[in-house]
Amino acid sequence: MREDSSPDPLETRLAACLARLRAEQGWALETLAERTRISRATLSRLERGEASATAGMLGRLCAAYGRPLSWLMRTVEEAPAALVPPAAQTLWTDPETGFRRRSVSPPGPGLRGELLEGRLPPGACIDYARSPLPGLEHHLWLLEGRLGLTVEGVAHALGPGDCLRYRLHGASAFACPAEGPAARYLLAIIQP
């Protein structure tokens, strides 16, 4: 929710999309809770737009539905034009960690890739239990700060200018050291 307590249009569309996805699967809230390890009450509040999902929650929901987070965000974002000026780039902030995700170049019809800017505050960590779509190709270029990135059990310590390329099939974790600046990076994601 926004500070003025009026509903955020992106959050409203996200809530509706989450409710629609569960309905399409024919799952009860209990079934989705078992698959995601998110409580039934929290899932209900998310679908009604009464709570904001964290990055971890969205990752678990996308994994349960077999869709990448980029698909979910593309579904709830306004349809992008070919030129995406900064003011039109959707910015989402994780209410739990303060992680900021900017959709610099959102996926579009006929395009398999997207470009995201991430900013992880000092001391923050985000864990994803599995890839929502096995085989996603990632190219992460760290612009500022330091970032610990664990991909399927292999830990990588990135510094400014480092680029890590990988295909994601399993778990991943992003961590910014508590000492020092936020980790800011660009992430190119290409669907298989």
Side-chain angles (χ1 to χ4, degrees):
M1 293 287 185
R2 296 189 290 193
E3 287 181 19
D4 66 2
S5 75
S6 64
D8 180 322
L10 178 68
E11 293 282 339
T12 301
R13 291 190 303 270
L14 180 60
C17 183
L18 292 174
R20 187 183 72 250
L21 283 169
R22 186 173 60 81
E24 287 172 0
Q25 295 295 321
W27 294 342
L29 281 171
E30 292 80 9
T31 303
L32 185 57
E34 289 172 11
R35 291 173 183 256
T36 61
R37 299 182 330 272
I38 300 171
S39 75
R40 180 188 180 284
T42 298
L43 290 169
S44 177
R45 291 181 62 225
L46 290 174
E47 290 183 5
R48 292 192 317 265
E50 296 172 357
S52 295
T54 66
M57 287 178 188
L58 290 176
R60 292 196 304 265
L61 286 163
C62 286
Y65 293 125
R67 309 235 184 209
L69 181 57
S70 58
W71 176 90
L72 177 64
M73 296 310 287
R74 179 182 72 231
T75 300
V76 300
E77 293 169 348
E78 301 288 333
L83 175 63
V84 188
Q89 297 169 7
T90 303
L91 178 65
W92 176 79
T93 302
D94 180 354
E96 183 176 278
T97 63
F99 167 68
R100 292 176 48 183
R101 175 194 186 275
R102 177 180 299 279
S103 184
V104 177
S105 176
L111 302 173
R112 291 187 7 228
E114 66 180 300
L115 185 62
L116 306 172
E117 176 189 26
R119 185 182 180 282
L120 193 60
C125 181
I126 299 173
D127 294 308
Y128 298 100
R130 62 183 178 166
S131 175
L133 184 63
L136 282 176
E137 183 179 338
H138 286 199
H139 298 258
L140 188 144
W141 182 31
L142 187 63
L143 302 172
E144 298 172 2
R146 302 238 169 245
L147 181 66
L149 178 53
T150 303
V151 179
E152 299 172 13
V154 178
H156 304 274
L158 284 73
D162 287 345
C163 181
L164 182 64
R165 305 176 301 175
Y166 56 95
R167 284 201 181 270
L168 187 61
H169 294 275
S172 62
F174 294 69
C176 180
E179 300 297 321
R184 190 171 73 89
Y185 58 85
L186 289 179
L187 177 62
I189 301 175
I190 302 159
Q191 295 188 30

